[in-house]
Amino acid sequence: MASKSTFPTSIPPEFHKYFWDVDATKVNPQEHPIYVINRLLDKGGLEAVRWVRHAFPESLIIETIKKIKDFSPWNGVFWARMYNIPREEVACLEPSYRALRKQLWPY
């Protein structure tokens, strides 16, 4: 995996809108790469995805997809297919988590 020091130190301004709940100017991708990858792959558009795929190693992107439950189920399926990850290895697709999510957000 690439060294954290090779990761970007800031999020490009055009992607700040995807970090509506925090001050995006203070988010350092070197310190919180999984958070940044998750947010941009789940909420971002095509340019955000391109930036993530250029800025971070594929192994870390795959780790994020497998580990983080905050992906929407449809994005979890999409990224699992893009990276050939078995669905049972994707945290947001775990049956127990999906049932809980439907209880909390039945839409």
Side-chain angles (χ1 to χ4, degrees):
M1 177 165 63
S3 163
K4 281 187 174 186
S5 63
T6 62
F7 297 173
T9 58
S10 63
I11 298 167
E14 62 267 32
F15 306 136
H16 287 186
K17 63 187 171 189
Y18 302 118
F19 295 87
W20 60 85
D21 56 338
V22 297
D23 182 351
T25 62
K26 294 182 181 177
V27 176
N28 183 337
Q30 283 185 2
E31 294 175 11
H32 306 286
I34 289 177
Y35 169 69
V36 172
I37 292 167
N38 167 248
R39 182 60 64 100
L40 292 176
L41 290 186
D42 194 53
K43 313 286 191 270
L46 183 57
E47 288 305 314
V49 169
R50 285 183 178 142
W51 182 79
V52 166
R53 294 183 77 186
H54 174 76
F56 298 98
E58 186 174 278
S59 60
L60 185 57
I61 294 169
I62 290 170
E63 176 187 342
T64 303
I65 295 164
K66 287 180 171 184
K67 178 176 172 178
I68 300 299
K69 291 183 178 183
D70 192 40
F71 283 101
S72 66
W74 49 89
N75 281 331
V77 169
F78 175 81
W79 290 115
R81 288 184 178 170
M82 284 293 295
Y83 285 102
N84 294 315
I85 304 167
R87 288 177 70 156
E88 57 274 3
E89 293 182 23
V90 178
C92 73
L93 300 177
E94 292 173 1
S96 61
Y97 179 69
R98 292 189 70 208
L100 174 64
R101 187 179 175 114
K102 283 183 181 181
Q103 263 184 338
L104 299 174
W105 189 254
Y107 304 101

